[in-house]
Every structure is written in C-alpha cells, then in structure tokens.
Amino acid sequence: MLKGNHEIYYTDIVKSGTANVHEAELTHQKWVAEDLGDSYLEIVDGLEIERQFDIEGVKMLFCHYPYNTENNTFEWFIDFDENIDRSKFNDKDADLYVFGHQHTGSDVVDDDGIRYLNLNSAGATKGSETTYAIIEIQNRAYKVTIKYVSYDRLKVIDKIDKLEVPERAFIKQIFFGVEQGVE
C-alpha cells in the first residue's frame, strides 16, 4: 500500500487541521478525517510515497503519482493524449512505472521502451468494472496482464448520497460520470 494525495490530506488534517487544497476539497477532506479520527494516523503516515524494486533485473517503480518533495505536491506528468513528461521521473531508473492517480486507465510505452502503466482507480470508476494487474517476471523480462473485475458503482454512489458526503455532486460527476440528478 502506498500513500497518495488523499492519504496526505488525511494526515495533514489530523496533524494540523488543514491541508493544501482548495476550500471545497478541504471541506470534504475535513469530513473524511473527522469520520476516520486519528485511529489510522500512524499507519497512513508511515506509508511510503513510492516503492522501487529490482526483481531479476527488471526495475519497477510503484507510486500513486510522481511526488515533488520540495513543494509536497504530486506532479502532473501525463496528459489525456498520453504524452509523457519523463522529466518528472529523471531521478528514478525503471523499466516499468506503475501508478494510478488518474481515473482513466492507460498503458503507454515511450520511445526508450519505458512502460507507464496507469491502473485507473479501484474505488471511483465511471464504468461497471475496475482493474488490477498481474506482473510476471522471468529471465530478466516482464509480462503485464490486466484483469477486469465487476464493480457496482451504483452502490457506492448510493452510499455517498446516504452519508451526505460533502461535495458529493462534484465527486459523482468527476469520478463516477454522473450528471446532477442522473445516475
């Protein structure tokens, strides 16, 4: 398990009462932190931002998204046309980068043969499936198999409404593809 933006918001709010987000997002994140309390702080705060592995000569980096430790922000490095800004990973040497911050899946190999695998989001999807990957390594080579799992997003949307989650209309529209009043 790795630390992503929401885990950082949670730890920041529990520790200091605020997080580096716009006001509407802060309202939502404070609600989440209040609901969770500080019971998860030690675990979440101890999570790593990224993990690097070298298994049988295959170098892999797993992260939520590239993180800039100088200004404590996740760095946008891939646009929706799948153009890669490799400079965000200049200090990381890997054959395979696995991440998931974007809520749209992608699998891109750049001109240097470096693979960027975005697994989508396991908990906020616009469709009826979510994904995970199996990475098999053998003889200094790897194979990625993407698996699809049925996902009942309507149950999640219903729960968001029942709990009266702050900023739920925005969340449902952006992360679940639900227009206001439509499901």
Side-chain angles (χ1 to χ4, degrees):
M1 195 163 125
L2 297 170
K3 189 184 298 184
N5 54 316
H6 288 269
E7 290 78 18
I8 290 172
Y9 304 154
Y10 166 73
T11 58
D12 286 353
I13 289 169
V14 171
K15 289 177 178 180
S16 70
T18 192
N20 186 22
V21 293
H22 61 79
E23 192 61 37
E25 177 77 5
L26 184 59
T27 299
H28 172 79
Q29 295 302 331
K30 282 184 173 182
W31 179 86
V32 170
E34 183 179 305
D35 188 54
L36 291 175
D38 65 359
S39 59
Y40 297 99
L41 180 61
E42 186 176 336
I43 294 168
V44 174
D45 202 31
L47 295 174
E48 296 176 74
I49 295 284
E50 64 185 30
R51 290 287 308 267
Q52 287 189 268
F53 299 93
D54 187 327
I55 301 174
E56 294 186 28
V58 176
K59 294 181 245 172
M60 298 175 286
L61 175 86
F62 293 81
C63 64
H64 179 75
Y65 219 57
Y67 191 74
N68 183 328
T69 55
E70 291 177 15
N71 63 10
N72 295 321
T73 59
F74 285 95
E75 297 280 328
W76 201 258
F77 83 105
I78 185 171
D79 63 28
F80 291 105
D81 293 327
E82 307 305 332
N83 296 309
I84 306 289
D85 179 359
R86 176 96 166 78
S87 70
K88 304 298 183 197
F89 287 114
N90 275 346
D91 61 336
K92 311 296 180 196
D93 181 27
D95 305 304
L96 172 64
Y97 294 93
V98 181
F99 60 96
H101 178 79
Q102 288 180 273
H103 289 253
T104 56
S106 62
D107 189 359
V108 176
V109 178
D110 73 10
D111 293 338
D112 296 323
I114 307 298
R115 188 170 184 175
Y116 299 85
L117 179 61
N118 175 8
L119 290 176
N120 202 333
S121 170
T125 64
K126 294 180 180 177
S128 60
E129 294 181 321
T130 190
T131 58
Y132 68 94
I134 297 172
I135 302 171
E136 298 174 84
I137 301 171
Q138 188 173 15
N139 299 325
R140 303 182 63 82
Y142 69 90
K143 174 185 169 192
V144 175
T145 305
I146 306 295
K147 296 288 190 172
Y148 297 88
V149 180
S150 294
Y151 176 74
D152 189 350
R153 66 190 250 295
L154 295 179
K155 282 186 180 179
V156 177
I157 292 166
D158 185 52
K159 187 82 168 191
I160 288 169
D161 287 333
K162 284 182 179 169
L163 291 173
E164 298 181 358
V165 173
E167 302 303 318
R168 63 187 163 277
F170 176 81
I171 292 167
K172 291 181 343 183
Q173 179 182 10
I174 297 301
F175 300 114
F176 294 93
V178 175
E179 296 300 321
Q180 277 190 309
V182 180
E183 306 218 346

